Amino acid sequence: MRQFLSILGALIILGSTLLAFANDDIEKEKQAIQQVIESAYVKGIHIDRDPAAIRSGFHPDFTMLVFKDNQMSKVTLEEWIARLEEGKKQNPTLAEKTTHQFEIVDLSGNAAVARIELFKDGKHVFTDFMSLYKFDEGWKIVNKIFFRHN
């Protein structure tokens, strides 16, 4: 009986240690996902409109699905960047203060989803839903759908 209790105690301690390591790994991955979204999407698209920063966090096969007038259309990464560059030519400086908050970051293995609330000058502008995959070089945004707030 004593040996059984010793083995059981050791297994409980081992299981708790492994669970703590697993939770640490998940938190590190969530932080990496948030960092990619902040640098490539929030800063790259909404603050700096910087194609290099955008491309560093988005996969080349990224697609944004746009739902308007009960119709859905696709926008590729390069189309989106071209639109941003055109907007930058017409309005070189953005005066709006952009902030964001993560409502959800969830992952399973090499797949993840995030829900981001985006604000410009304190006004709620977008709710974004992003899908990411983890590649050898790290997390990349592969898809986005969104809701534009009035």
Side-chain angles (χ1 to χ4, degrees):
M1 183 68 166
R2 213 176 213 191
Q3 186 178 18
F4 172 76
L5 291 176
S6 294
I7 292 172
L8 181 61
L11 288 174
I12 290 171
I13 291 170
L14 178 62
S16 298
T17 302
L18 291 175
L19 185 59
F21 283 131
N23 286 339
D24 284 348
D25 289 344
I26 289 170
E27 286 308 311
K28 285 179 186 174
E29 293 299 333
K30 285 182 178 182
Q31 288 173 3
I33 290 163
Q34 289 178 353
Q35 191 277 326
V36 165
I37 292 169
E38 287 171 341
S39 64
Y41 175 63
V42 176
K43 195 169 184 326
I45 288 176
H46 290 283
I47 297 173
D48 296 335
R49 298 181 287 181
D50 176 6
I54 296 165
R55 287 185 183 102
S56 74
F58 284 80
H59 190 272
D61 294 328
F62 165 88
T63 303
M64 176 170 51
L65 300 175
V66 180
F67 186 73
K68 184 178 179 183
D69 299 326
N70 208 40
Q71 300 290 318
M72 192 171 67
S73 61
K74 295 179 182 179
V75 177
T76 68
L77 181 61
E78 292 308 316
E79 290 169 336
W80 198 10
I81 290 171
R83 290 178 187 180
L84 290 169
E85 289 178 325
E86 185 59 34
K88 196 172 185 177
K89 285 178 190 173
Q90 294 174 11
N91 183 12
T93 58
L94 294 176
E96 307 160 315
K97 180 181 180 196
T98 301
T99 58
H100 68 284
Q101 59 191 48
F102 288 94
E103 294 298 320
I104 297 169
V105 177
D106 197 11
L107 68 124
S108 183
N110 69 341
V113 294
R115 175 181 167 182
I116 303 97
E117 303 297 341
L118 196 81
F119 303 85
K120 293 199 179 254
D121 287 337
K123 182 181 174 196
H124 196 189
V125 180
F126 292 108
T127 297
D128 295 305
F129 299 90
M130 295 189 173
S131 301
L132 301 91
Y133 274 128
K134 187 174 185 184
F135 296 87
D136 289 343
E137 62 275 10
W139 289 99
K140 298 288 182 181
I141 303 164
V142 297
N143 180 266
K144 174 187 161 180
I145 65 171
F146 63 93
F147 177 75
R148 180 188 299 268
H149 298 269
N150 292 329

